[in-house]
Amino acid sequence: MDTPLREPTFLILTALATEPMHGYGLIGEVAALSDGRVALRPGTLYGALDRLVDAGLVDVEREEVVDGRLRRYYRLTPAGEATLSSETDRLRRNVEAATARLRERATGATAPRLAGGLA
Amino acid sequence: MDTPLREPTFLILTALATEPMHGYGLIGEVAALSDGRVALRPGTLYGALDRLVDAGLVDVEREEVVDGRLRRYYRLTPAGEATLSSETDRLRRNVEAATARLRERATGATAPRLAGGLA
DNA sequence: CGGCCTTGTAACGCCCCCCGATATACCTTC
DNA sequence: GAAGGTATATCGGGGGGCGTTACAAGGCCG
């Protein structure tokens, strides 16, 4: 998994950063994190969790049965924390670059810094 | 296009925010923007540009022939600027959420705010 | 008792991205 | 002046994450 994380995956890791949660609970947590913008469906969620477990970014902390339903609790691994951290940095740099250029544009500036500069 | 932009597309829009550029030039500009992390290949670039033009986020400003080679200059449209702006906001919120949780975790805090804490 | 809620499973298609190969016309090199 | 490299754009194949839909199974509520 050297591909950059997509939004659903990123938010799942973020949700798990605080404390372990079970799959279905993540649906609500991710929705809360994203102000309701990202509404995960089961197919998306469990597919992503399986991939994350395969990649070693997340593991199963425990399973319990509540009211006859299985609850499987997922937890962020140290590798998952490292990945979330570096992905966050990557996104932050992109946000800063875009913000700078949008601001520059808004003020009508006409002096590009990076453009075509270094071959 | 209500799907979130992926990184290559996002960086292309960011590169175009400063001034119109031709396709091949964008390869270098996106590389510079991302500190060399994102090295677009022609197939990726032009595919993305075609999709962006179809979506109305980018249009062709002009074409010129230099040294017998065609240069097609692409420009950010108002819709493209709006999209880039809102995408940037979205990313910023994600970055802030992840940063907060990672910091909370680093300091060993055990008081989640959003999480279904009372389970 | 019947229907809804909760939690997890399974199968299928789409779309974006990645890559490699190709076309062409200059410019350099010998 | 022919051969090869460079700049610029095009085309087609393939893969992986995500969305979607349907389904299973057992409690709770009316």
Side-chain angles (χ1 to χ4, degrees):
Chain A
M1 174 168 307
D2 51 350
T3 344
L5 299 178
R6 310 272 263 306
E7 186 170 39
T9 308
F10 182 85
L11 291 176
I12 289 170
L13 291 187
T14 301
L16 290 177
T18 307
E19 61 175 357
M21 300 193 63
H22 61 100
Y24 202 83
L26 279 168
I27 293 178
E29 184 69 7
V30 166
L33 265 178
S34 64
D35 291 317
R37 261 186 12 262
V38 178
L40 295 180
R41 306 286 216 82
T44 303
L45 172 68
Y46 292 105
L49 284 173
D50 287 347
R51 286 189 294 273
L52 288 171
V53 169
D54 282 349
L57 305 186
V58 151
D59 63 3
V60 176
E61 185 207 27
R62 72 185 192 279
E63 296 181 342
E64 61 182 34
V65 176
V66 176
D67 287 343
R69 286 173 233 115
L70 176 65
R71 280 186 180 173
R72 188 171 299 141
Y73 281 81
Y74 294 91
R75 171 181 52 183
L76 198 62
T77 66
E81 180 173 356
T83 297
L84 178 58
S85 180
S86 73
E87 280 293 297
T88 302
D89 285 346
R90 178 178 67 78
L91 291 182
R92 186 177 358 251
R93 281 195 294 271
N94 288 349
V95 164
E96 283 166 3
T99 301
R101 295 201 162 207
L102 285 169
R103 189 168 40 225
E104 187 183 295
R105 166 178 263 249
T107 61
T110 47
R113 283 284 153 59
L114 277 163
L118 50 118
Chain B
M1 173 164 309
D2 51 351
T3 339
L5 300 179
R6 310 275 205 59
E7 185 170 39
T9 309
F10 182 85
L11 291 176
I12 289 170
L13 291 187
T14 301
L16 291 177
T18 306
E19 60 177 357
M21 302 192 63
H22 61 100
Y24 205 84
L26 277 168
I27 292 179
E29 184 69 7
V30 165
L33 264 178
S34 63
D35 291 317
R37 262 187 10 262
V38 178
L40 294 179
R41 306 291 213 81
T44 304
L45 173 68
Y46 292 105
L49 283 172
D50 287 347
R51 285 188 296 270
L52 288 171
V53 169
D54 282 350
L57 304 186
V58 151
D59 63 4
V60 177
E61 184 206 27
R62 71 185 191 278
E63 296 180 344
E64 62 183 34
V65 175
V66 176
D67 288 343
R69 285 175 232 112
L70 176 64
R71 279 188 180 171
R72 189 171 297 142
Y73 282 80
Y74 294 91
R75 173 181 50 184
L76 200 60
T77 65
E81 180 173 356
T83 297
L84 177 58
S85 180
S86 73
E87 281 291 297
T88 302
D89 284 346
R90 179 179 64 79
L91 291 182
R92 187 176 358 250
R93 281 196 293 271
N94 289 349
V95 165
E96 282 166 5
T99 301
R101 294 200 165 207
L102 284 169
R103 188 167 41 227
E104 187 182 294
R105 166 179 264 249
T107 61
T110 46
R113 286 282 152 59
L114 276 163
L118 40 122

